[in-house]
Structure formats: structure tokens, C-alpha cells
């Protein structure tokens, strides 16, 4: 991870945070027995399958497979990074996040955020006080914007002149370097620099925490470019960020849909007319990262484009990017505006009610896809319909497995006049989120490998690690899960006060983390009586010892047969065969 946060601090943080209280502040929970339930916030469902355990400090959805700790929930629900999630929880708990040596943690970007926030305040002040700001204020008034909306979006003004911001914020070498690193100044020559934004209306771009990470500036007059964006910086990646998403979350308690438009003024003008759910990409086509962030916010996305050829081409690109994201419960629609109109001009012309009706009547992804493909072939001929099928199948193949994908194949079959099975499609392997839940029969015993059984029991009761006289020869067994079990046992022995959620977080950046999370999320489904766990844990380790002996016996027999075995290895083989015989005799007597 980017910043090295001490493991003991994460342990303490998870000890103080109650996952039930955290999730209930975002998703209302209902107590059912000893756990809590709700409809899953990560996919659409009518019957609750999202469970939160106070005892385990873990959440798990039996519908889509989402699961994790309090940290994992913030990462998925609030779309935060790991370090941001830690800082968010620490702030709620009244703790300061410590760091283990700056040279190990990577860059500290707090000065970047401070510089950009200070620049945003500078531009807002200039909009109110600069002598040349009248034309900016007039422009905003002509667009129908009130002072309140301008304040909501922190709109400002970069006055004319080459060095207004530099004179305000770049008087030391350190300040100048921060302006350079955040993209606020340009340098045509080594010994000269000037403000990047001049005589422009300024739109701060803010991240999920409301921190300014970049700017978009609209020129006043006929200069070029009409809109100028900040360059990519360590805190700003235009392929990930969406203008206005922070403001949407701030304005709306419940977000039912998001409207994706193309410009800053479109977002602000729509907000002025009461449509507070618009966001804009930042001079780039919609990316998969954009879509993942959008769909984590709500389940319905409406793309809004101009109705001309360029707009429809952009819409098709957005459709292709959307296909892999279309898990069941998600909906994407496409709104194409009349020629010569954009959301800003159209809503001022026809008002909110008519514009929102356009959104409601927008074209579903399925209709847009098939209508476009059909317009390019002769549907009256067999060859044309065959061509439609060949063009559609690779696109449908990008869809995640699930009901929506099946229905799209059925729609294609109907349009070409075939049964769905005759299309020759082979559904891709189901992703964990698109599978229906696998419900365990009550009382049914799962057949697990001894390693998986031991790991599960240890996660359920970490105190099992303190049992005396546990067998240890199994550590030499070469098989999946042995290394993980050994490390878990060592941590639980050395730090007996750790709870399971704290132990799991130790693996956050390791390849085993998803596997470990999955084991823990379903651990309580094992029908192991509380008073029988110690015996079963011993038994699982003993079975691993037996497997290790079998593996070692096979290897030694091979060395003996090739004449490569040493005397010590021959003695060891004899010992293993003798033990195997004793165990077999014991089993016969018990039978």
C-alpha cells in the first residue's frame, strides 16, 4: 500500500469501531437474531441477504458475495482507498493515524490538497472582489445561476494576468514547487513560469472527501481552448474522477440515478434547475473506472449526449465500456438531445419537468445496442440477420453471467428468428457477484480439506492456537493452505488478544486475502458445536500430519527405487511404514 500504517494501529482501530454502527449509518439495518440484515447496498434485491455480524465484525451478502471488515466496507461503499478508509475510521474514533517512517510510506500528498484548496478559495475571492470579475458574474447570471449554486460548486474566477496565483501562493521555493506539482503553473522556459489559468471561470474538481484535486476553467470570450483542465498529477487522474459526484452526494440523501453529461456548465445548470444528480467526465470518454464508481453510487446510469453523429458515436463507445459492468440489477440508458442543444441550453429552454421526462423516456442499453446493429444490416434477408447475430455475439459475450445476459441472448434469438440455444453462445464463467447464492442445507456437513477446516476453525476461535501439545509435523506438508495456516497459527499464538477481523486485515495486500475473506464470510455456516471445536481442530491438524507422512513416504519410496536413498532416508521410510501399519491396525480394531 502507498502508506505504511502500523499493524498495531489497525488492530486498535478495528477494536474501537463497531461495524454494525458504521454500516447502519449508511444502510439501515434490522436485527435478526444475533446478527443484522438489510437489502444489499451493492446489488438490487427485494429480500434482504446482506448480513452484518457484531460478533465477527464482518459483513457478508449471500446474494452477490460482497464481504469484508469495516475497512473493506468503506472501500467498497464509499469507493475509498485503503489508507483513506483507515483515516476515515480513525477520524470517527478520534485517533490520529501514525506512520512508520516517511521513507517507507511513500509520498505525503496532504500539502497538495492544502495548496489546491487554498487556490480554490483564492479564485472564489477573486470572483467576488476582482475589478475584472464583473464579466464572469454577468456570464453566470446569463446562465441563470444563483449565488447559492455558485457557492455549492465553489465556482471562482482566475483574473487576467500572468502571475496572480504565483504572487499570492508562490513566494517561496517550496510554495512554487507545490504549485508546479499540482499543475497550477505552466513553464515554457526553465527560468520562467506563469499561472496556468487566466481570465477563466474556475470549476474546482473535488474528490469524495470534498478536497480539491484539480480545476476546469472556462474562458471568457472567444479564446482557445474553450475549456482548460488541470493536467494529470499524483492526486488527479481524469480517467477516475467525475465532476459533480461529491456535490451529488452532498445534496441528495438517496441517489436513485446519475446523469452523465459532458461539461461543467451542464452539471451546474442542471443543479440550478433542481436536477442534482448530474456528473461529468473530465474531457475524456467514460472509462471502466468511471462506471464502477457510478454503479457503486446507484444502480441506474443515464448517459446524455448530443444527437448528432459525434454524439451517437460517443454513446456507442460508452455502451461498449458499460457491457462488462452490467451485472444484474444495474441499468444503463442513453439520452440523445435535439441537434444543436446541450443540457445547459435545453433545460433553460424547456424547464425541469420536460427535461426529466426525456431522462425517464431515454433509451435502454438493450434497445440502443440492437437498434444500432439492425440499422447496419438488411433484416429482411437471412444473410442480414446472420450478420446481426455475428456482430452481436461478441458484444453480449462481454456481459457478466446472469439473468440480464440470458435475456439479451433471448432478445437476439427473437430478432434473428432462432431459438437461444441455436446461437452457439457459450456463457462465460460466472463471476462471484453474478452467481445466485449457494445456500447450505441446515445441519449439512461441508466436506472441506483438513487445511481449510483448520483455517476455518482457527478464524472462528483464534484461542485454539493456545492449545498445548498441538501436532506440528504438518508444516512440512506441501499443499495449498499450509503456509497460510502456519502463519495464522503463529499470529494467533503471539498476539492472543487479536480478534478475527484484525487478523484478516494483516493479509490486506497479500494474494491470500480474498481467499481468507471468503473462508471467514461463510465460517459460521459450519455446523461445528462450540464444545467440539478443540477436538476437531486437533483432528484436522492430525489428518494433515497423516497426509504429510503419506507424501514423504511416496517421495522416499521413489528414492529407494532409484537407488538414491541414504541410510538415514531408509531408516525414516521404515519408521513411516511402521507408523502407517499401526494406524491401519488401530482402525481395524475400532471397526
Amino acid at each position: 500500500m502507498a502508506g505504511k500504517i502500523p499493524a498495531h494501529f489497525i488492530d486498535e482501530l478495528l477494536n474501537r469501531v463497531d461495524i454494525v454502527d458504521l454500516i447502519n449509518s449508511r444502510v439501515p439495518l434490522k436485527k435478526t437474531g444475533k446478527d443484522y440484515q438489510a437489502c444489499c447496498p451493492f446489488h438490487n434485491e427485494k429480500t434482504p441477504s446482506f448480513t452484518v455480524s457484531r460478533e465477527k465484525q464482518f459483513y457478508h451478502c449471500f446474494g452477490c458475495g460482497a464481504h469484508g471488515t469495516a475497512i473493506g466496507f468503506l472501500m467498497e461503499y464509499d469507493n475509498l482507498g485503503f489508507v483513506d478508509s483507515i483515516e476515515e475510521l480513525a477520524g470517527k474514533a478520534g485517533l490520529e493515524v501514525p506512520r512508520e517512517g516517511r521513507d517507507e510510506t511513500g509520498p505525503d500528498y496532504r500539502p497538495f490538497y492544502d495548496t489546491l484548496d487554498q487556490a480554490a478559495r483564492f479564485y472564489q475571492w477573486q470572483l467576488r472582489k476582482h475589478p475584472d470579475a464583473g464579466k464572469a458574474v454577468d456570464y453566470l447570471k446569463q446562465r441563470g445561476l444563483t449565488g447559492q449554486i455558485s457557492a455549492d460548486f465553489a465556482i471562482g474566477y482566475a483574473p487576467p494576468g500572468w502571475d496572480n496565483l504565483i504572487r499570492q501562493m508562490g513566494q517561496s521555493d517550496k510554495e512554487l514547487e507545490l504549485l508546479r506539482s499540482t499543475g497550477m503553473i505552466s513553464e515554457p522556459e526553465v527560468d520562467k513560469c506563469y499561472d496556468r489559468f487566466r481570465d477563466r471561470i474556475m470549476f474546482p474538481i473535488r474528490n469524495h472527501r470534498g478536497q480539491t484535486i484539480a480545476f476546469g476553467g472556462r474562458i471568457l470570450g472567444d479564446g482557445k481552448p474553450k475549456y482548460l483542465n488541470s493536467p494529470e498529477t499524483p492526486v488527479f487522474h481524469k480517467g477516475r474522477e467525475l465532476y459533480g459526484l461529491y456535490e451529488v452526494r452532498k445534496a441528495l440523501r438517496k441517489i436513485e440515478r446519475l446523469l452523465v453529461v459532458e461539461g461543467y456548465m451542464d452539471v451546474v445548470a442542471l443543479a440550478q434547475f433542481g436536477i442534482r444528480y448530474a456528473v461529468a467526465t473530465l474531457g475524456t470518454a467514460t472509462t471502466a473506472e468511471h462506471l464502477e464508481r457510478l454503479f457503486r453510487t446507484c444502480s441506474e446510469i443515464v448517459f446524455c449526449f448530443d444527437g448528432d453523429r459525434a454524439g451517437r458515436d460517443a454513446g456507442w463507445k460508452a455502451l461498449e465500456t458499460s457491457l462488462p459492468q452490467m451485472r444484474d440489477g444495474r441499468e444503463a440508458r442513453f439520452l440523445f438531445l435535439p441537434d444543436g442543444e446541450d443540457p445547459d441550453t435545453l433545460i433553460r429552454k424547456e424547464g425541469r419537468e420536460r427535461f426529466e421526462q426525456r431522462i425517464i423516456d431515454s433509451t435502454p442499453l438493450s434497445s440502443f445496442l440492437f437498434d444500432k446493429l439492425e440499422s447496419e444490416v438488411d433484416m429482411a434477408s437471412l444473410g442480414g440477420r446472420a450478420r446481426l447475430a455475428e456482430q452481436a455475439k461478441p458484444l453480449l459475450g462481454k456481459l457478466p453471467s446472469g439473468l440480464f445476459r440470458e435475456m439479451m441472448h433471448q432478445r437476439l434469438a427473437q430478432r434473428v428468428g432462432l431459438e437461444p440455444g441455436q446461437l452457439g453462445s457459450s456463457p462465460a464463467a460466472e463471476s462471484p457477484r453474478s452467481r445466485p447464492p449457494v445456500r447450505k442445507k441446515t445441519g449439512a456437513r461441508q466436506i472441506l480439506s483438513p487445511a481449510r477446516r483448520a483455517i476455518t476453525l482457527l478464524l472462528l476461535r483464534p484461542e485454539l492456537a493456545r492449545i498445548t501439545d498441538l501436532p506440528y509435523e504438518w508444516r512440512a506438508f506441501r499443499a495449498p493452505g499450509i503456509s497460510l495456516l502456519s502463519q495464522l497459527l503463529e499470529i494467533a499464538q503471539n498476539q492472543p488478544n487479536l480478534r478475527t477481523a484484525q487478523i484478516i486485515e494483516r493479509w490486506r495486500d497479500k494474494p491470500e486475502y480474498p481467499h481468507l475473506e471468503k473462508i471467514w464470510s461463510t465460517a459460521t455456516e459450519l455446523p461445528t458445536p462450540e464444545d467440539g471445536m478443540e477436538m476437531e481442530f486437533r483432528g484436522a491438524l492430525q489428518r494433515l500430519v497423516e497426509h504429510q507422512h503419506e507424501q514423504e513416504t511416496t517421495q522416499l519410496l521413489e528414492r529407494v527405487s532409484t537407488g538414491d536413498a541414504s541410510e538415514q532416508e531408509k531408516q525414516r521410510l521404515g519408521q513411516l511404514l511402521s507408523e502407517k501399519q499401526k494406524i491401519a491396525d488401530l482402525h481395524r480394531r475400532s471397526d
Side-chain angles (χ1 to χ4, degrees), residues 191-208:
D191 58 343
K192 292 182 180 180
C193 58
Y194 56 87
D195 293 353
R196 179 179 297 275
F197 298 99
R198 305 176 307 280
D199 199 20
R200 289 177 181 270
I201 293 176
M202 299 299 291
F203 299 88
I205 300 162
R206 298 188 275 197
N207 64 13
H208 60 275

Side-chain angles (χ1 to χ4, degrees), residues 40-210:
C40 181
F42 304 119
H43 80 288
N44 279 359
E45 61 178 6
K46 294 182 179 178
T47 303
S49 61
F50 181 79
T51 301
V52 185
S53 169
R54 176 166 275 149
E55 178 185 0
K56 295 170 67 176
Q57 287 296 300
F58 214 75
Y59 69 91
H60 177 66
C61 176
F62 294 95
C64 71
H67 54 261
T69 63
I71 296 170
F73 180 81
L74 279 185
M75 291 176 70
E76 187 152 11
Y77 188 83
D78 286 3
N79 199 27
L80 301 181
F82 175 74
V83 175
D84 284 339
S85 298
I86 294 289
E87 290 177 346
E88 180 83 8
L89 291 175
K92 291 182 180 298
L95 300 174
E96 184 174 346
V97 181
R99 303 283 179 164
E100 292 182 347
R102 180 52 54 191
D103 57 331
E104 297 181 18
T105 65
D108 178 8
Y109 292 130
R110 283 174 293 183
F112 284 44
Y113 297 125
D114 292 342
T115 296
L116 290 162
D117 281 334
Q118 187 179 343
R121 291 192 295 272
F122 170 76
Y123 291 136
Q124 286 180 280
W125 176 257
Q126 297 303 306
L127 181 63
R128 294 194 298 269
K129 299 297 182 179
H130 196 278
D132 292 326
K135 55 185 177 181
V137 173
D138 289 343
Y139 173 83
L140 295 173
K141 287 181 177 178
Q142 289 169 9
R143 293 299 184 104
L145 302 187
T146 62
Q148 183 60 54
I149 285 292
S150 295
D152 287 349
F153 286 86
I155 295 174
Y157 173 61
W162 293 97
D163 61 352
N164 292 291
L165 189 65
I166 292 172
R167 284 189 286 108
Q168 179 70 21
M169 296 176 53
Q171 294 305 297
S172 70
D173 290 343
K174 182 179 179 181
E175 291 174 334
L176 202 61
E177 180 55 35
L178 281 169
L179 290 176
R180 182 182 295 110
S181 299
T182 54
M184 298 308 296
I185 59 176
S186 298
E187 296 180 273
E189 299 176 17
V190 176
D191 58 343
K192 292 182 180 180
C193 58
Y194 56 87
D195 293 353
R196 179 179 297 275
F197 298 99
R198 305 176 307 280
D199 199 20
R200 289 177 181 270
I201 293 176
M202 299 299 291
F203 299 88
I205 300 162
R206 298 188 275 197
N207 64 13
H208 60 275
R209 301 178 71 182

Side-chain angles (χ1 to χ4, degrees), residues 576-586 588:
L576 289 170
L577 291 173
S578 176
E579 289 179 2
K580 184 176 182 181
Q581 186 61 48
K582 289 178 182 177
I583 293 172
D585 292 343
L586 185 63
R588 273 198 300 272

